[in-house]
Amino acid sequence: MRIRKHDYLVIALAAPLFLAACADKDVYDPNKVRPIAPVENPLGEDFVAPEGFDWSMITTVKLNVEVKDLFNGQYNYLVEVFTSNPLSNETATPLSAGYAKHGSNYIAEISVPKATTHLFIRQTDPKQRKEIFEYAVPKDGETINSKLYFTEVQTKALPSHGTSGWDQITPMNIEATPIDGIKDDHIFHYEAGGQLKNNTTFIIEGEYTKGLTSENWNNGTATVIIKGTWKMQGTLQGLRIIVASQGKITGDNILLGNGSSIEIQKGGIAEFKTFSLQTDDVIHNFGTFKADKISDVNSGCLIYNGKEATFDVTNNIESFKSSTLHNHGNFIVGGNIRTNDNDLKGIIANYEAGYLKATEFIGGVKTFINDNIVEVEKYDANNITASWLYNNCTFIAKKAFYFTQLVVDNGSITGAQNGDVWAATEVKSYNDGNIAKLTLKNGSIIKSTTFTCGSSLEINAGTNTPSMVQAETITYEWTTYLKGNLILAVNNEINAGVQVSWGISDRRYEKESSVKITKKDEAKEEIETCTGIIYEGNSGNPDPEDPSKPDIGDNIVYTYAFEDQWPAYGDFDMNDVIVSINKMAITDNKKLTIQGNIRAVGSSRKTGIGIQFLNVSSNGVILNGKVQSGTPIFESGQNNPVIILSTNAHKYCNPSIVDDDFTFYCTDPTAGSTYNSGNGAEFEITLTFSTAEAAVKAMNINNIDIFIISKEAQGDTRRTEIHLPNHAPTNLGTTALFGMSNDASAYNNALDAKQKGYYISTEGLAWGICIPSTEVWKWPKERKKITDVYPEFKAWVISGGETENQDWISNHNNDIFIRP
C-alpha cells in the first residue's frame, strides 16, 4: 500500500496516543516492543518496486553436462565451468568442477551475477586435451543441458575436392578449332591498310610483318590462321586469329580490338611485350601465351586457358574489368592481378587441373571458384565488397588473405608449404554493407597468424564434418556470429572495434554452443583436404588417465550495502555498513576460504555484522581464520551456521578509537584522516567440511547471508538484525518488529499493507543489497541518496531488475566516497 505525505503526519500524531492507550504501567520495560511509526519514502512517492521484485542481482543456473566418452567409462572426463573464457584469461579460476563419463553426467548448480551473459565449459579428456564450449546463461533456475560434442549429420565419403560455386556459373570445357582442310581464300579490301574482307581466311605460312584488320569490323570478322610467324602491329580489329601448332605470333604493343579473338592451339605460341583486350574479346589458349604486361582486360572479355596450356605474364595484369577467366592449365602472373568488377559480371574459374599464381590478387569478382591450387603473396578483395570466393581445394596466400564473401569446401586457406608443414597467413574480412559470410564445409581449414573479423561477419561450419579456424589471435571488430560444427583453435580472442563510451559492451561475438574452442595447436581433430593433411591433430598423452581435479573459486567481488534504520526507512545513502567478499576458494576439495573487508560504516550507533550459511550444516566443520573477536566460532543456539564477524564495526575498522566512538568511517570525507584511512577491517573465514559437496554449497553466494545487527538483545527482546530481502533472521534475531513502521515482513497494521517478504517494505523497497562486480562497488558519500548518485538505480528497481538495467552500478556522479 502506498501512502501520501500528509498521511505520514496523521500516523505520526496517532502513534503516541496508541502507545499511551496500550501501554501498561511499566512503559520502560525492555521486554516490551513499542510500535514504530512509518516515515516518508526518502526516494519519492513514485519510487515503488513492482510486486515480486526480489532485489537480487544473482541468478541460479543448473548444469547437466554430457561428454562423448571414447573410452567406454574406463576414465573420467574433467568438466570445469568459468564465467570468463579460460583460453583468453589463463588466470581464470573455475567456479565449478567435476567429473563425467559414459552414463554419468556432471550435474551442478551455480550462482552467477545476472550481468553474466555466457558461461564457458571446458572439457579435459583422459588424454589431457582441452576444449571449451560457450553457453548463454538461461533464465533464473533453468538448466543448461550441454553436450560437449557435435552431433554430426551422417554424410557420404567426401570427394577429392569441394563442389561449391559451380551452380553460380556455366562451366566451360572447350576444344581447339579443327583447321585441317581450311583453305586460304582471303581478299584484301584495302591491301595497303591490311584490311581483309569479312568472312575470308588468310593463312600465314612463313613470316608476315604487316598489320591486319577486317574491312568493316563492326559488322563482321576475317579469319587469320598462323602456321608460320606473324609479327603483329598496332590494333587488331575484327579478326579471328588462330595460331596453329608450331605457329607463332609476336608484338610489342598490341590491342585486341572489340569483338576479336585469338586461339592458340597446342604447340602454338603467342609472345607480346604489352598486350590489351578491348571489349568482348576472346582468348582460347591451348598452347603458350606470354606477355611482359597486360594493361587492360576490358568488360565482357573471356580468357580460356586449356589443360596443359601455359598463360604467362611476367609483370602485371593491370585491369581485369567485369570479364571471365576459365583456367584448366597454368596461369602464371609474375606481378599483380588487379580487378575492377563494379558491374558484378566478373568470373574466375580455376578447374581441377588448374594452377593460378600471381604476386598479388587485388580486388574481387562476382564469382571466383578454385578447384585446385591458387598461389599468391596476397589476396585482397577490398574494392569489390560483394565478391564471392569459392575455394574447393588449396588457396595459398603467403602473406595475407583479405576476403568479403567466402566459401571453403573441403579446402584450405594457408600460407606457404614447407615440406609437410603448412604456414599460416594474415586473414581479414571486409563487410559488404550487410552481413559478410564465411562458410566452412566438409572439413575445411583456415590457418592464420591473425584473423580480423570485420563488421557483422558470420562464420558457419554447417552440420557435417568439423571445420577449423586456426589463429594466433582472432579479433572481433563488431559482432561476429560463429555457428555450426566449428573448431576455433586460437590462442587469443580480442573483442575490439567499438568505443566503450558508445554504451556498447566489450563483447563482439555470438557463438553457438556447438562451437568448440581450443588452443591453436591443441585441437584433436585431423583436417585433411584435397591437398592432403593440413593439420595432423593433437593425439594427446599416449597413456590415458583421469585429469586432476583443480581448486575452484569465485573471484566475483560481492559488495553488501545496508541501511540501519529498519523497520523505518533511512536516508537511503546505502552506506551505513559496507561489506565486501573479495574472493572465495575451495582447496583440497573440502576447504573453503572466504576473504573480505568491512569497508565503511555510516551508522551512528554500535553495529555488528554477521554471516549466516544456508543449506549447509556445521556438523564436523573445522573453523579457522580472523574476525574481530579473534578466531571465528559458530554461534550457539542457531539452526544454521552463523559467525559474527564484528560486534562493533566502528572499532573493528579503526582500532585506535574508543569503544563508543561512532563517528562515520569512510563515508564522510570531511571527518579527517583518522576516520578515512585504510580499507577497513579484513576478515577471513576458513571452513573445512567433511564433504566436497558441502564446501561447494557453502561457496554458492546465494547460500551466504551477510547481515547487520543494529541493536543488541535487551531482556527477552532478541537483537535487531537487518538482512537482504527474503532472507529470514537467524534464531537470535527479533521478529517483533515485523510489520512495523515501513516493514512488510508481516502484515503492516499501520499502513494496512499485506506481507511481502522478509525485510521488504510496504512499497517493495529493501534495507540491504548485494552488488556483484569485478571490483568493490563505490558507495555514496554520507547523506547522498543512492538515486542521486546512481541515476539509473531507479530504472533498475522500477523495471523489476531487467537485465538491460544491470549496469546501473557503473554509472555514477562525483558523489561517491573518495578518500580525501
Side-chain angles (χ1 to χ4, degrees), residues 567-807:
Y569 288 140
D571 57 6
F572 266 105
D573 53 13
M574 297 304 290
N575 66 12
D576 292 343
V577 175
I578 301 292
V579 180
S580 68
I581 293 178
N582 308 325
K583 184 178 181 181
M584 295 188 285
I586 295 177
T587 56
D588 300 330
N589 214 27
K590 301 175 183 178
K591 182 188 291 186
L592 169 62
T593 300
I594 302 173
Q595 297 174 328
N597 287 70
I598 300 170
R599 295 188 176 271
V601 186
S603 173
S604 57
R605 66 181 79 182
K606 184 178 180 181
T607 305
I609 302 169
I611 180 170
Q612 176 178 213
F613 293 92
L614 309 175
N615 300 314
V616 294
S617 170
S618 61
N619 292 336
V621 177
I622 300 173
L623 267 180
N624 284 294
K626 172 190 172 185
V627 294
Q628 187 172 16
S629 62
T631 302
I633 60 172
F634 290 123
E635 267 194 319
S636 60
Q638 299 280 23
N639 290 339
N640 293 319
V642 175
I643 297 170
I644 298 302
L645 303 177
S646 170
T647 55
N648 184 340
H650 295 83
K651 184 74 175 177
Y652 195 17
C653 290
N654 190 351
S656 64
I657 65 172
V658 298
D659 290 351
D660 60 353
D661 184 351
F662 302 132
T663 304
F664 300 146
Y665 175 78
C666 284
T667 66
D668 183 0
T670 67
S673 60
T674 300
Y675 300 97
N676 288 307
S677 60
N679 290 317
E682 296 181 4
F683 62 87
E684 180 174 295
I685 302 172
T686 300
L687 307 98
T688 304
F689 292 87
S690 57
T691 67
E693 290 76 15
V696 171
K697 273 189 176 181
M699 191 180 75
N700 188 315
I701 194 65
N702 277 341
N703 290 329
I704 294 177
D705 175 23
I706 298 284
F707 63 94
I708 66 173
I709 302 168
S710 63
K711 187 176 182 180
E712 295 176 337
Q714 291 183 327
D716 293 337
T717 302
R718 297 174 179 175
R719 68 193 183 200
T720 301
E721 298 177 355
I722 304 173
H723 293 251
L724 297 190
N726 297 311
H727 284 70
T730 72
N731 294 91
L732 303 184
T734 184
T735 60
L737 298 177
F738 283 4
M740 289 192 180
S741 190
N742 300 100
D743 178 68
S745 300
Y747 177 76
N748 190 305
N749 285 290
L751 299 177
D752 189 22
K754 66 179 182 179
Q755 179 182 9
K756 285 183 175 288
Y758 292 120
Y759 300 97
I760 295 179
S761 80
T762 57
E763 294 171 298
L765 306 186
W767 284 265
I769 186 173
C770 173
I771 302 164
S773 185
T774 56
E775 59 184 8
V776 177
W777 177 67
K778 298 173 176 62
W779 56 92
K781 293 178 184 176
E782 193 60 42
R783 300 182 185 88
K784 298 294 183 180
K785 289 188 294 187
I786 189 171
T787 47
D788 293 336
V789 180
Y790 287 90
E792 297 173 23
F793 175 77
K794 181 176 182 180
W796 175 69
V797 174
I798 291 178
S799 70
E802 289 295 332
T803 303
E804 59 266 25
N805 296 318
Q806 293 287 331
D807 62 351

Side-chain angles (χ1 to χ4, degrees), residues 106-117:
Y106 173 64
I107 297 173
E109 183 175 290
I110 61 174
S111 295
V112 296
K114 287 182 178 178
T116 302
T117 57

Side-chain angles (χ1 to χ4, degrees), residues 377-388:
E377 296 290 318
K378 180 180 181 181
Y379 173 79
D380 188 348
N382 69 335
N383 70 334
I384 307 296
T385 56
S387 65
W388 281 84

